[in-house]
C-alpha cells in the first residue's frame, strides 16, 4: 500500500519504519524543518509541507494513497488532516492519533476518521490486560464502535476450562480469533481445548460483550463486574 503519515516525530517515524518493514511505500509529511530527519527512516519519502493545507496535500498526491495516518501530537491538526484526506481526496482509510482522552469523542466519521487510536485508552487497556484475570478487557475499538477487540484471561473456575472450543456457545456477532498460551499464539480450531490461564482474544460488537463474558466466565460474572464497579 501507499501510505501517507502526517507528523514525523517519534510516533510518526516509528509507524513509518514498521510499515516499510512490512513492505509498504510510506511518505512522511512534516511542516517543521528541524523535524526532517531522513536518516532516521531513509527508505521513506520525506515531504516538507503543512498537512493542514489543501495545496500541500495535492502536491504530495495524497489522493493516490491507500491510507493516511494523522500522527501529530496535536489533536486539532490530526482532525483537520483526517477531514481533508477523506472529504477532499477520498482516501479509503484514515487512521488518527488521539493525544488527549477528552478529545476522543471528536474522532469519528464526521471528521473523516475511520480508526481512532487513543494513547490513553491503549495504555489503560494494556495495564488492565496485564493484571486482570477473570474479566473482559476491551483492547481496541474498530469502525467507530461497531466492533471491539476484547481479551479474557481464563481463571481455573471458568465453566468451559478443559472443553473443546466447539462446545463453547458463543453469541452471534462474536468470534474467537486467537488464544495466547504462554509464549505461543494459537489459531483456534473447533477441537482445541481451552485451558486455565489462556488469554482468549475475541472480536465482537459492544452489544454482545456481556453475553461473551457470561458464557466464558459464568452467568454471574456480569453482575459481579457491575457490583465491583
Amino acid at each position: 500500500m501507499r501510505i501517507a503519515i502526517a507528523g514525523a516525530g517519534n510516533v510518526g517515524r516509528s509507524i513509518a519504519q514498521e510499515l516499510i518493514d512490512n513492505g509498504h511505500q510510506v511518505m512522511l509529511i512534516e511542516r517543521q524543518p528541524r523535524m526532517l530527519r531522513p536518516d532516521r527512516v531513509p527508505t521513506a519519502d520525506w515531504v516538507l509541507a503543512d498537512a493542514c493545507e489543501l495545496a500541500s496535500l495535492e502536491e504530495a498526491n495524497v489522493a493516490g494513497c491507500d491510507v493516511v495516518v494523522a500522527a501529530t501530537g496535536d489533536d486539532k491538526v490530526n482532525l483537520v488532516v483526517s477531514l481533508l484526506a477523506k472529504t477532499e481526496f477520498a482516501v479509503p482509510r484514515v487512521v488518527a492519533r488521539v493525544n488527549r482522552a477528552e478529545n476522543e469523542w471528536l474522532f469519528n466519521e464526521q471528521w473523516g476518521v475511520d480508526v481512532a487510536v487513543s494513547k490513553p485508552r491503549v495504555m489503560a487497556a494494556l495495564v488492565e490486560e496485564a493484571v486482570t484475570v477473570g474479566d473482559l478487557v476491551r483492547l481496541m475499538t474498530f469502525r467507530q464502535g461497531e466492533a471491539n477487540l476484547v481479551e479474557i484471561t481464563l481463571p481455573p473456575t471458568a465453566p468451559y476450562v478443559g472443553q473443546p472450543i466447539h462446545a463453547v456457545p458463543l453469541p452471534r456477532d462474536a468470534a474467537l480469533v486467537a488464544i495466547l498460551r504462554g509464549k505461543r499464539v494459537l489459531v483456534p480450531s473447533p477441537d482445541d481445548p481451552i485451558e486455565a490461564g489462556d488469554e482468549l482474544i475475541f472480536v465482537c460488537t459492544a452489544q454482545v460483550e456481556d453475553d461473551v463474558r457470561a458464557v466464558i466466565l459464568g452467568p454471574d460474572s456480569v453482575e459481579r463486574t457491575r457490583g465491583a464497579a
Side-chain angles (χ1 to χ4, degrees), residues 164-181:
I165 292 171
H166 69 74
V168 182
L170 287 176
R172 185 178 179 182
D173 296 328
L176 176 63
V177 295
I179 299 174
L180 308 185
R181 183 174 295 161

Side-chain angles (χ1 to χ4, degrees), residues 99-150:
N99 296 279
R100 299 180 64 86
E102 61 267 29
N103 295 332
E104 190 173 350
W105 65 277
L106 287 165
F107 286 74
N108 55 36
E109 60 186 6
Q110 280 74 35
W111 278 95
V113 178
D114 294 304
V115 178
V117 181
S118 169
K119 291 201 303 180
R121 183 181 293 276
V122 169
M123 289 295 292
L126 291 174
V127 170
E128 285 188 284
E129 190 273 335
V131 302
T132 301
V133 175
D135 196 11
L136 181 148
V137 178
R138 185 181 295 176
L139 301 176
M140 188 173 291
T141 297
F142 303 110
R143 298 183 64 84
Q144 289 77 53
E146 292 178 17
N148 298 316
L149 186 71
V150 302

Side-chain angles (χ1 to χ4, degrees), residues 125-126 128-130 132 135-142 147-154 165 168 170-171 173-182 184-189 193-195 197-205 208-209 212-213 216-217:
L126 291 174
E128 285 188 284
E129 190 273 335
T132 301
D135 196 11
L136 181 148
V137 178
R138 185 181 295 176
L139 301 176
M140 188 173 291
T141 297
F142 303 110
N148 298 316
L149 186 71
V150 302
E151 182 266 355
I152 298 176
T153 300
L154 285 183
I165 292 171
V168 182
L170 287 176
D173 296 328
L176 176 63
V177 295
I179 299 174
L180 308 185
R181 183 174 295 161
R184 300 178 61 199
V185 178
L186 307 177
V187 178
S189 64
I194 57 176
E195 301 177 1
D198 281 353
E199 295 181 50
L200 306 183
I201 310 297
F202 299 89
V203 174
C204 63
T205 62
V208 302
E209 283 184 359
V212 172
R213 182 189 281 112
I216 300 300
L217 298 173

